[in-house]
Amino acid sequence: MRPPLVLTVAGSDSGGGAGIQADLKTMLALGTHGMSVLTAVTAQNSLGVQGAWELPVDAVRAQYRSVVDDIGVQAVKTGMLSSAELVETVAELIGGTDAPAVVDPVGVSKHGDALLAASALDSVRTKLLPVATVATPNLDEVAQLTGVHVESDTDLRRAAAAVLEYGPRWALIKGGHLHGDAVDLLTDGSQEHWLRAPRLDNRHTHGTGCTLASAVACGLAKGQPVPEAVKAAKAYVTGAIEAGFALGGGIGPVDHGWALGRDASSV
Ligand SMILES: Nc1ncnc2c1ncn2[C@@H]1O[C@H](COP(=O)(O)OP(=O)(O)O)[C@@H](O)[C@H]1O
Ligand SMILES: Cc1ncc(COP(=O)(O)OP(=O)(O)O)c(N)n1
């Protein structure tokens, strides 16, 4: 039987922990067929981002059309989009596609490296967020996009309301950068779903945001309602963080294959 079709529009992380690589691994682990539109290439490892190069707009547009016009998609996920021009192009492409879209408005990596030009923020607010089914900003991205600074779980409500003003159907505000339990808030302005997991004492958390957003897209491609898809995605990312492993000299990746069983030697 054909697996659900999920497309990621994102940048490459050469270290394999975040970006396109995290997205495709998540899609495989969750039983879907992952496809990719590359927007940028980063030279990246456990210590940070050493370089980043955007792809031309025509190359992004051509990849997207190749996938959607022949194969089709049941959900789209966006990640690093780098520039205002790429943000606007991707927003236009998603707006013309009949599939739910999970928008991770990637701004800065865990190490503080900018993955989106400051000049692109307005395009994210006015072009990309309005076409999102679910927007999944972390707290730094909420602050950049809305000016709301979250310091406690209760501030997540204010953050979500500010994000919803820009037009996504649902906001999933990730409280991963707070202290205490890892609490996220999903809301469409009328329903509220609080997602709570114990804070795991593992420094190898590279790629958490990409992994969560991709897992949500997988659930949507399977036909799950948004709250169900987000709940399953939260369980998947929590397991992946728990199994995160050391790599290089810095922050290692989450383990996307944690739920698959690891004995590849017998294959
Ligand atoms: N140490 C941790 N323990 C458990 N869950 C975490 C931890 N750090 C992040 N999370 C969860 O991982 C997901 C991604 O959040 P976050 O790390 O804030 O995203 P980003 O990678 O975009 O900064 C959220 O569900 C968040 O609650
Ligand atoms: C190419 C690329 N895209 C996105 C990110 C950010 O990924 P995220 O899941 O938010 O993880 P951290 O960088 O915060 O660990 C990235 N680093 N590279």
Side-chain angles (χ1 to χ4, degrees), residues 196-212:
R196 186 176 291 273
R199 177 159 301 276
L200 298 165
D201 185 18
N202 184 351
R203 70 186 290 252
H204 303 300
T205 55
H206 180 46
T208 45
C210 300
T211 303
L212 179 71

Side-chain angles (χ1 to χ4, degrees), residues 11-13 18-20 42 44 49 79-80 104 106 108-111 115 138 141 174 205-211:
S12 164
D13 168 5
I20 286 273
T42 69
Q44 187 170 172
V49 177
M80 174 184 180
D104 185 9
V106 171
V108 183
S109 82
K110 206 153 254 129
H111 290 95
L115 300 174
N138 67 23
E141 291 152 0
K174 300 175 292 193
T205 55
H206 180 46
T208 45
C210 300
T211 303

